[in-house]
C-alpha cells in the first residue's frame, strides 16, 4: 500500500525513481508522481493510474536532476485524482513531501493552517504535513551556512512538525532552497536508506534498491535521516544523534523481476519447491527427530510449559494459521486458537499466562497484525512472529520468531508465502509434538515427509496444463464453491480467496459437509464446486457430498491423489496431485487452486499482478 522512493547523488534521479516505483507497483496503488527541485521551486509530474501513465507523462515533460522523490499512492483521504497524487507541496512551494501512513489529527491541523492563510489543493492528510513543515521552517532562526550546521535547522523544523502529528508516517522531504539534502523520517511505516558510492537512496521496502546497492540502513520508529550525496546522519526524537548500522541486503535484481514468466504470481507459484526447501533448510534435526529454530528466544522448558497457542494474522496468513491449528493440535495435542488480527486487537480475550502468541505475516507490516502483536506484548505474553520480510516492523518488534526465507513475494495474491507458512507451522507442530508425547519414529516419519515435500510440490505443479484447460471451460462462471474437510478446509478457503482476488469471481470456501446448510442453494449447472478430496479418513464422506452436488446438476472439479479412479467416475474434471501425510496435504492441494485462479484470471483478461482495489501490504487499519 503506497510506496516511496528518493534519490540524492550524481546520477539521474528520475531513472532510479521510475524503476523504483515500478518495483513497488506490487504493493497496490492508484496514482503516482515524482518531484525534483528546479530553479524557484519544484517540477512535478503526476499521473492517475499505472506507472506506464507516469512514464508517458515523463516522456512529454522530462524531469532532470540529481535529487528527487517519488510515490505510488493508494487512496485513503480523497479519491485517486491528480490533485491528490503525491508529492505534495507545502507553504509557497518551499517543501515537497511524499508520505505513507495515515495522519489521524490532520483535520484539526488543516483547520488551523487554513486559518493562518495556507491554501490546500488536495483532500489528503499528506498536504497537511507539507504545509506544517514549511510553517515550522519559517520559525527556525536563520543560519548563514546550512551545510556547516549539518542542516540541523531543517531537521529541527521537520521534527517540530512531526511532533504535532498523531498517526503513522514514512516520509521524505525535499527543500526548494537546499536541494543538496533530503530528509526521511518514520513512525510506524517502514523506510530504508540505501548507501551507494557518493549517493543515497530511500525506499519504503528493499525491492527498489536491488541492483543499485546492497548496503542498507533500516530506519527505526522516531528516527529521522538527513541525507546528502556523501553524508548520512540519523537523529532519534528522544536520543539525538544515533550511530546507524549498515546491513547487507541479500537481494539481487533478478529476485525482483519476472524472470521470463508472464506474471510475478506465476513465477512465485513455480518457485514453491525451492521456497519450501528454504523454509526447511537447516531446521530438521535428524538426530533428535524434531525441528529446530534459532530465533524463538525461549528455552525448551519454557516452550514445554505452553498450554495454549494463539495464532493470528490477516488474509492468506490467517488461512495458514488455520492450517497450523490442525497441525499443532494433531501432532502436539496442544490447544490452538486462531483469531483474525483485526478482531484480536479489540476483542480482549481472556488468555492464561501460559499462552504463546504467534503473529503470522508475509510482509511483517500489516497494520492489524502489528497492533495485535503489540497488544499481546503489552499484556505480557511472549509474542512471536512467523514472517517473510527480514527487518520488517513485526520481525523487529516480536520477542522472537521464524523467518520463511521464501524470497520477495511481489504478486499481490499470496502464493509461496502461504505454502512456506504452512511448512513452518508443520515444523513447529513437530517441534511441540516432540517436546510432548510424539515418539522418535513418528518424528522421523514426519521429517521424511517434509523432506519429500519440494519434489511433491513440483509434481503438483505438473498439473498446470491440465488446470489451464479446465480454466478455459469455466472462466465465464459467476460463482464457485470450494469444499474440503479438516486439513483441507483452510485450503478450500484459500483457493476461494485466490479466485476472488484476481479474477473478481464470487467464490466461497466451506467445510464440505457444511455446504448442505446454505451454499447448496447456489448450485446449478454453471456453478462449479471444487472439491479437495485426497485419500484419508474423511474421503468417503466427501464423496457423499460430491454425490449431493451432482444430484443437483452442479459441475464438480475434484482435486484427488494420483491414481484415484473412484472420484473420476463422478467428477466432471479431475486434477491428480501427489499424496502426502494429511497434515501436509493442504500444501499440495492449494497448488492446483492457485493455478486455477491464475489461469481463469488470465482467460478473463484480468491484471493478475495488480488486482483492482487490493494492496500487497495493508498498512492501514
Ligand atoms: C493483504 C494481501 C494478502 C495478505 C494480507 C496479509 O490483504 O493482499 O495477500 O494475505 O494482506 O498480509 P501479511 O503480509 O500480513 O501476510
Amino acid at each position: 500500500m503506497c510506496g516511496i522512493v528518493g534519490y540524492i547523488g550524481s546520477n539521474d534521479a528520475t531513472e532510479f525513481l521510475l524503476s523504483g516505483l515500478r518495483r513497488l507497483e506490487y504493493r497496490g496503488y492508484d496514482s503516482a508522481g515524482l518531484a525534483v527541485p528546479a530553479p524557484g521551486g519544484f517540477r512535478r509530474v503526476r499521473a492517475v493510474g499505472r506507472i506506464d501513465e507516469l512514464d508517458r507523462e515523463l516522456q512529454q515533460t522530462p524531469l532532470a536532476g540529481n535529487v528527487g522523490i517519488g510515490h505510488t499512492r493508494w487512496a485513503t483521504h480523497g479519491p485517486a485524482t491528480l490533485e491528490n497524487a503525491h508529492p505534495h507541496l507545502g507553504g509557497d512551494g518551499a517543501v515537497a513531501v511524499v508520505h505513507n501512513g495515515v495522519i489521524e489529527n490532520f483535520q484539526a491541523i488543516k483547520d488551523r493552517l487554513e486559518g493562518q492563510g495556507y491554501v490546500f489543493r488536495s483532500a489528503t492528510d499528506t498536504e497537511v504535513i507539507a504545509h506544517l513543515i514549511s510553517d515550522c521552517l519559517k520559525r527556525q532562526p536563520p543560519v548563514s551556512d546550512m551545510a556547516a550546521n549539518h542542516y540541523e535547522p531543517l531537521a529541527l523544523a521537520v521534527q517540530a512538525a512531526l511532533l504535532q502529528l498523531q498517526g503513522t508516517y514514512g516520509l521524505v522531504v525535499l527543500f526548494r532552497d537546499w536541494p543538496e539534502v533530503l530528509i526521511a523520517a518514520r513512525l510506524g511505516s517502514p523506510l530504508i536508506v540505501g548507501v551507494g558510492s557518493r549517493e543515497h537512496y530511500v525506499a519504503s521496502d528493499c525491492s527498489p534498491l536491488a541492483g543499485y546497492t546492497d548496503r542498507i540502513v533500516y530506519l527505526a520508529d522516531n528516527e529521522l535521516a538527513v541525507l546528502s550525496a556523501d553524508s548520512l546522519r540519523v537523529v532519534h526524537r528522544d536520543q539525538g544523534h544515533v550511530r546507524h548500522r549498515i546491513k547487507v541486503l541479500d537481494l539481487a535484481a533478478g529476485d525482483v523481476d519476472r524472470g521470463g514468466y508472464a506474471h510475478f504470481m506465476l513465477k512465485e507459484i513455480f518457485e514453491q519447491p525451492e521456497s519450501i526447501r528454504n523454509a526447511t533448510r537447516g531446521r530438521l534435526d535428524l538426530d533428535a527427530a524434531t525441528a529446530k529454530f534459532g530465533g524463538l528466544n525461549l528455552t525448551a522448558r519454557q516452550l514445554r510449559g505452553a498450554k495454549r497457542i494463539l495464532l493470528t494474522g490477516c488474509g492468506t496468513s490467517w488461512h495458514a494459521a488455520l492450517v497450523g491449528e490442525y497441525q499443532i493440535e494433531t501432532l502436539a495435542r496442544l490447544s490452538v486458537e486462531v483469531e483474525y488480527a483485526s478482531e484480536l486487537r479489540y476483542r480482549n480475550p481472556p488468555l492464561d499466562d501460559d499462552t504463546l502468541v504467534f503473529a503470522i505475516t508475509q510482509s511483517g507490516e500489516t497494520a492489524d497484525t502489528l497492533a495485535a502483536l503489540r497488544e499481546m506484548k503489552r499484556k505480557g505474553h511472549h509474542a512471536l512472529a512467523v514472517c517473510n520480510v527480514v527487518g520488517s516492523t513485526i520481525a523487529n518488534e516480536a520477542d522472537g520468531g521464524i523467518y520463511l526465507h521464501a524470497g520477495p513475494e511481489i504478486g499481490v495474491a499470496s502464493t509461496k508465502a502461504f505454502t512456506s507458512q504452512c511448512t513452518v507451522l508443520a515444523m513447529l507442530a513437530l517441534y511441540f509434538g516432540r517436546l510432548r508425547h510424539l515418539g522418535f519414529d513418528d518424528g522421523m516419519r514426519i521429517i521424511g515427509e517434509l523432506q519429500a515435500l519440494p519434489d511433491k510440490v513440483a509434481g503438483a505443479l505438473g498439473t498446470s496444463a491440465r488446470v489451464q484447460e479446465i480454466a478455459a471451460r469455466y472462466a465465464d462462471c459467476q460463482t464457485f464453491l470450494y469444499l474440503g474437510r479438516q486439513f483441507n478446509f483452510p485450503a478450500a478457503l484459500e483457493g476461494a480467496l485466490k479466485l476472488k482476488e484476481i479474477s473478481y469471481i464470487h467464490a466461497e470456501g466451506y467445510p464440505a459437509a457444511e455446504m448442505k446448510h446454505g451454499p447448496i442453494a447456489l448450485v446449478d449447472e454453471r456453478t462449479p464446486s471444487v472439491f479437495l478430496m485426497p485419500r484419508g479418513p474423511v474421503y468417503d464422506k466427501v464423496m457423499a457430498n460430491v454425490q449431493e452436488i451432482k444430484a443437483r446438476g452442479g459441475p464438480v472439479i475434484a482435486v484427488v491423489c494420483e491414481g484415484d479412479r473412484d472420484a473420476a467416475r463422478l467428477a466432471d474434471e479431475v486434477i491428480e496431485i501427489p499424496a502426502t501425510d494429511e497434515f501436509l496435504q493442504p500444501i499440495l492441494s492449494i497448488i492446483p487452486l492457485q493455478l486455477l485462479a491464475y489461469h481463469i484470471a488470465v482467460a478473463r483478461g484480468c491484471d493478475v499482478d495488480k488486482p483492482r482495489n487490493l494492496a500487497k501490504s495493508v498498512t492501514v487499519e
Side-chain angles (χ1 to χ4, degrees):
M1 220 172 229
C2 299
I4 285 180
V5 281
Y7 176 84
I8 188 157
S10 49
N11 288 318
D12 172 25
T14 314
E15 191 273 327
F16 167 73
L17 297 177
L18 198 61
S19 109
L21 290 183
R22 285 197 189 282
R23 295 225 185 121
L24 290 172
E25 281 192 285
Y26 77 97
R27 293 173 66 94
Y29 70 104
D30 33 44
S31 59
L34 300 180
V36 300
F42 291 101
R43 293 193 56 212
R44 271 190 300 179
V45 173
R46 298 180 290 172
V48 174
R50 298 291 179 214
I51 300 294
D52 285 343
E53 289 299 322
L54 184 69
D55 199 357
R56 268 192 283 279
E57 290 290 327
L58 281 166
Q59 282 163 26
Q60 311 276 325
T61 325
L63 291 187
N66 307 126
V67 56
I69 53 179
H71 190 261
T72 46
R73 172 175 188 256
W74 191 87
T76 56
H77 297 67
T81 60
L82 215 53
E83 298 72 45
N84 290 333
H86 300 212
H88 288 287
L89 304 184
D92 53 354
V95 299
V97 174
V98 288
H99 161 232
N100 287 355
V102 171
I103 303 305
E104 285 152 11
N105 61 339
F106 87 101
Q107 193 60 53
I109 302 176
K110 185 171 180 174
D111 293 346
R112 192 185 82 212
L113 291 169
E114 277 180 331
Q116 289 172 228
Y118 285 91
V119 178
F120 282 79
R121 295 186 168 78
S122 78
T124 64
D125 49 349
T126 303
E127 196 183 354
V128 169
I129 308 176
H131 285 308
L132 197 56
I133 293 174
S134 184
D135 194 57
C136 293
L137 200 54
K138 279 194 217 149
R139 294 168 200 275
Q140 284 297 315
V143 279
S144 51
D145 188 346
M146 257 308 181
N149 281 286
H150 303 294
Y151 300 96
E152 190 138 334
L154 302 184
L156 287 172
V158 174
Q159 200 65 274
L162 297 182
L163 283 171
Q164 299 177 49
L165 304 179
Q166 287 161 17
T168 54
Y169 52 79
L171 54 86
V172 188
V173 191
L174 200 57
F175 302 87
R176 178 191 58 204
D177 301 331
W178 296 278
E180 69 279 20
V181 67
L182 275 182
I183 289 190
R186 88 159 256 182
L187 178 66
S189 188
L191 267 191
I192 293 147
V193 175
V195 181
S197 158
R198 305 213 62 208
E199 57 190 350
H200 284 103
Y201 307 86
V202 188
S204 49
D205 73 33
C206 291
S207 50
L209 304 177
Y212 287 91
T213 181
D214 62 355
R215 299 169 68 221
I216 58 163
V217 176
Y218 291 104
L219 287 190
D221 276 351
N222 293 312
E223 281 184 355
L224 174 152
V226 183
L227 305 154
S228 70
D230 42 25
S231 71
L232 163 61
R233 190 177 152 81
V234 179
V235 184
H236 187 276
R237 186 189 61 191
D238 308 321
Q239 299 151 19
H241 177 229
V242 287
R243 279 173 69 99
H244 56 270
R245 283 182 50 210
I246 296 182
K247 298 195 171 169
V248 175
L249 174 66
D250 183 17
L251 194 64
D255 294 334
V256 288
D257 66 33
R258 293 203 308 268
Y261 285 90
H263 296 97
F264 281 110
M265 181 181 178
L266 191 63
K267 176 184 175 222
E268 287 157 9
I269 289 173
F270 276 88
E271 279 173 355
Q272 289 176 107
E274 197 48 33
S275 52
I276 289 173
R277 199 169 280 121
N278 288 341
T280 58
R281 185 164 285 135
R283 289 175 170 159
L284 298 175
D285 180 345
L286 275 69
D287 293 331
T290 187
K292 56 182 179 191
F293 305 101
L296 293 180
N297 299 334
L298 286 173
T299 62
R301 182 181 290 274
Q302 287 170 315
L303 287 161
R304 200 187 141 73
K307 297 281 180 300
R308 190 171 176 221
I309 292 191
L310 175 62
L311 303 175
T312 191
C314 303
T316 289
S317 294
W318 182 77
H319 291 157
L322 289 178
V323 173
E325 177 181 25
Y326 281 92
Q327 291 167 326
I328 297 169
E329 288 193 348
T330 307
L331 296 188
R333 309 298 309 146
L334 252 175
S335 134
V336 180
E337 190 180 342
V338 177
E339 182 67 279
Y340 282 114
S342 53
E343 291 296 309
L344 179 63
R345 63 186 292 192
Y346 295 118
R347 191 165 72 94
N348 198 21
L351 292 176
D352 298 334
D353 289 350
D354 39 25
T355 302
L356 264 187
V357 179
F358 283 87
I360 319 291
T361 170
Q362 188 285 128
S363 62
E365 302 294 348
T366 304
D368 285 321
T369 310
L370 175 60
L373 179 101
R374 286 178 174 163
E375 176 66 2
M376 291 298 115
K377 278 183 70 173
R378 190 193 61 74
K379 291 185 171 193
H381 289 287
H382 201 78
L384 300 149
V386 173
C387 182
N388 192 33
V389 178
V390 175
S392 58
T393 308
I394 291 176
N396 283 339
E397 291 199 14
D399 293 314
I402 308 170
Y403 278 122
L404 301 179
H405 298 308
E409 189 180 69
I410 309 266
V412 171
S414 180
T415 51
K416 64 177 179 173
F418 174 75
T419 49
S420 291
Q421 287 165 337
C422 295
T423 305
V424 163
L425 289 165
M427 289 189 292
L428 204 57
L430 165 65
Y431 179 75
F432 278 115
R434 288 286 292 132
L435 282 180
R436 298 159 71 87
H437 68 279
L438 201 70
F440 185 91
D441 289 351
D442 284 333
M444 286 310 279
R445 184 183 50 75
I446 289 164
I447 286 181
E449 284 299 334
L450 281 161
Q451 287 173 322
L453 198 54
D455 286 345
K456 292 186 179 181
V457 169
L461 287 168
T463 61
S464 187
R466 165 94 184 107
V467 173
Q468 190 171 4
E469 276 169 37
I470 297 172
R473 278 198 279 284
Y474 297 92
D476 60 349
C477 293
Q478 297 303 312
T479 298
F480 276 67
L481 294 179
Y482 284 75
L483 304 164
R485 294 189 80 159
Q486 301 199 329
F487 288 86
N488 278 300
F489 158 52
L493 291 178
E494 174 61 8
L497 179 67
K498 288 294 85 103
L499 189 70
K500 261 184 274 211
E501 284 179 314
I502 57 168
S503 73
Y504 321 135
I505 294 174
H506 171 232
E508 296 200 29
Y510 265 92
E514 257 314 289
M515 92 23 211
K516 298 188 291 291
H517 303 289
I520 199 164
L522 298 173
V523 169
D524 63 19
E525 59 289 346
R526 292 306 294 157
T527 303
S529 294
V530 181
F531 275 91
L532 302 182
M533 43 189 305
R535 290 272 179 203
V538 289
Y539 179 85
D540 291 338
K541 307 278 180 208
V542 180
M543 193 64 116
N545 299 142
V546 173
Q547 298 270 18
E548 286 152 12
I549 296 284
K550 287 306 301 172
R552 284 154 186 88
V556 167
I557 302 170
V559 177
V560 301
C561 289
E562 282 162 355
D564 182 337
R565 299 286 160 258
D566 298 334
R569 274 188 228 117
L570 271 183
D572 300 80
E573 318 284 352
V574 172
I575 302 167
E576 295 188 32
I577 56 169
T580 180
D581 231 84
E582 60 174 347
F583 74 98
L584 294 177
Q585 195 69 53
I587 298 171
L588 298 181
S589 308
I590 195 61
I591 305 281
L593 305 195
Q594 294 168 343
L595 289 165
L596 186 65
Y598 173 81
H599 288 303
I600 288 180
V602 171
R604 289 166 72 98
C606 299
D607 193 345
V608 171
D609 283 333
K610 298 179 208 97
R612 73 179 179 208
N613 303 340
L614 298 184
K616 178 70 181 162
S617 180
V618 178
T619 48
V620 294
E621 191 177 330

